[in-house]
Amino acid sequence: MDYQLLLLTIGVSFILAVIASPLLIPLLRRLKFGQQVRDDGPQSHLKKAGTPTMGGVVIILAFTLTFLKFSVVNTDFYVLLVATLGFGLIGFLDDYIKIVFRRSLGLTARQKLIGQLLFAAIMCILLIQNGHSTAISIPGTSLSFDWGGFFYYPFIVIMMLAISNAVNFTDGLDGLLSGVSAIAFAAFALVAMQATSLSAAVCAAAMIGAVLGFLVFNAHPAKVFMGDTGSLGIGGAIGAIAIVTKTELLFIIIGGVFVIEMLSVVLQVVSFKTRGKRIFKMSPIHHHFELSGWSEWRVVITFWFVGIILAGIGLYLNKGL
């Protein structure tokens, strides 16, 4: 597979995001598309109120233009595009309702779920039409098991819902999700090259450039936030890449930071409902470290470092790399 093509994809997507961001930020300010900050969160976040959000539009735009330009058009191409744009659209509607109608709640949980189920179902239809393998490999071993379509495709739907929401939970600090997702996409770009899936490799490369270009303006102190438009779009893309490359379970390792973030929320809720006690000072877990006295930048760098380690372990376990 052509490494130069992937580097070109990253470069073009990065430049598009860097150019588009300073054009979008003033527009978001004029439209008063500002971030709403939770009162029960870290006090240091109160000063972020009003910072332009919905910047994920830049990520989706840079990704889409680059992906359409450099990817081959096949079934994998459509699966990746549906996942990224579909989940990104759900995030966009959620952000739009929150901001325009000045509501703390955008789409209801049921509306989000219906939207996610719809696009996950479309992905499944495309995969079935292409004769997608229903076998699942266990990372680091030669073992695999085939559930058959009756169990595999519901698993895929649940996987997409879990990944998109896990990624969404990770978006809470300046530059946190941008950096962690860039690391995960870099690992999956190598996985896709090993799997000889050009569409998945180009998808990952386009996302690397888009999130890094956005990171230029999203790093602490952030000039813009991506909102659900970006986080759900990123989640859709990374989940689809894992599915297309047949490394569904490898996501648990490469995307370990996302998994940890989601588990912290689940454990917090379960503990509070069953014992009346909280495990963490606040969930997702990145807020726990903030409230424990860590600076925002220290939390972000630490999570990036953990992401790099987990990506390395994932690549090591992925045979042939």
Side-chain angles (χ1 to χ4, degrees):
M1 193 174 290
D2 192 348
Y3 283 90
Q4 292 182 340
L5 174 62
L6 298 188
L7 291 175
L8 179 61
T9 303
I10 293 172
V12 171
S13 185
F14 176 83
I15 291 171
L16 288 174
V18 168
I19 291 174
S21 292
L23 298 176
L24 179 66
I25 292 172
L27 175 61
L28 293 175
R29 288 189 181 280
R30 284 198 295 272
L31 294 174
K32 296 182 179 179
F33 281 15
Q35 176 73 17
Q36 296 183 22
V37 178
R38 290 171 55 179
D39 295 332
D40 59 342
Q43 293 300 301
S44 59
H45 286 204
L46 296 177
K47 61 185 179 183
K48 298 183 181 184
T51 300
T53 188
M54 229 165 140
V57 170
V58 167
I59 296 174
I60 299 299
L61 178 63
F63 160 80
T64 303
L65 293 176
T66 312
F67 186 55
L68 292 176
K69 172 65 178 175
F70 294 110
S71 180
V72 294
V73 178
N74 52 23
T75 302
D76 288 352
F77 168 87
Y78 289 113
V79 170
L80 294 161
L81 200 60
V82 166
T84 307
L85 298 189
F87 280 75
L89 175 62
I90 296 169
F92 176 85
L93 293 174
D94 190 47
D95 286 335
Y96 186 83
I97 293 171
K98 286 178 185 175
I99 296 167
V100 173
F101 295 99
R102 299 292 190 270
R103 287 166 46 180
S104 58
L105 177 67
L107 294 174
T108 65
R110 176 176 294 183
Q111 289 170 335
K112 272 189 180 181
L113 179 61
I114 291 173
Q116 290 171 319
L117 287 173
L118 171 63
F119 289 110
I122 294 173
M123 288 175 59
C124 288
I125 292 171
L126 291 170
L127 291 168
I128 291 171
Q129 291 177 341
N130 193 46
H132 186 71
S133 171
T134 55
I136 296 178
S137 299
I138 300 176
T141 74
S142 58
L143 302 176
S144 65
F145 55 95
D146 193 338
W147 278 347
F150 185 78
F151 291 103
Y152 177 78
Y153 288 105
F155 167 76
I156 290 303
V157 171
I158 294 171
M159 176 181 168
M160 288 300 299
L161 295 179
I163 290 177
S164 60
N165 286 296
V167 172
N168 184 243
F169 284 137
T170 308
D171 183 30
L173 301 179
D174 296 358
L176 175 58
L177 178 53
S178 300
V180 171
S181 63
I183 294 164
F185 279 121
F188 271 112
L190 296 176
V191 169
M193 293 178 71
Q194 173 64 23
T196 64
S197 175
L198 180 60
S199 295
V202 171
C203 176
M207 268 297 184
I208 293 169
V211 295
L212 288 180
F214 182 76
L215 181 59
V216 173
F217 303 90
N218 182 236
H220 186 70
K223 298 179 179 63
V224 63
F225 301 133
M226 67 174 67
D228 285 0
T229 306
S231 60
L232 289 181
I234 290 171
I238 200 167
I241 291 172
I243 292 167
V244 165
T245 57
K246 296 304 302 169
T247 54
E248 296 93 342
L249 297 184
L250 194 64
F251 170 83
I252 297 173
I253 302 169
I254 292 178
V257 171
F258 306 129
V259 175
I260 292 169
E261 292 275 23
M262 170 165 266
L263 285 176
S264 71
V265 174
V266 173
L267 291 173
Q268 184 86 323
V269 172
V270 171
S271 177
F272 187 75
K273 286 186 177 296
T274 57
R275 304 188 306 144
K277 297 180 180 179
R278 292 180 172 86
I279 299 174
F280 308 105
K281 294 182 178 180
M282 185 177 177
S283 65
I285 197 170
H286 55 256
H287 289 315
H288 169 81
F289 288 108
E290 272 196 294
L291 293 174
S292 297
W294 287 28
S295 68
E296 182 171 354
W297 190 236
R298 180 185 175 187
V299 176
V300 170
I301 292 296
T302 300
F303 276 51
W304 286 0
F305 185 67
V306 172
I308 291 172
I309 293 175
L310 291 172
I313 294 173
L315 291 175
Y316 176 78
L317 293 176
N318 190 56
K319 292 186 179 299
L321 286 177

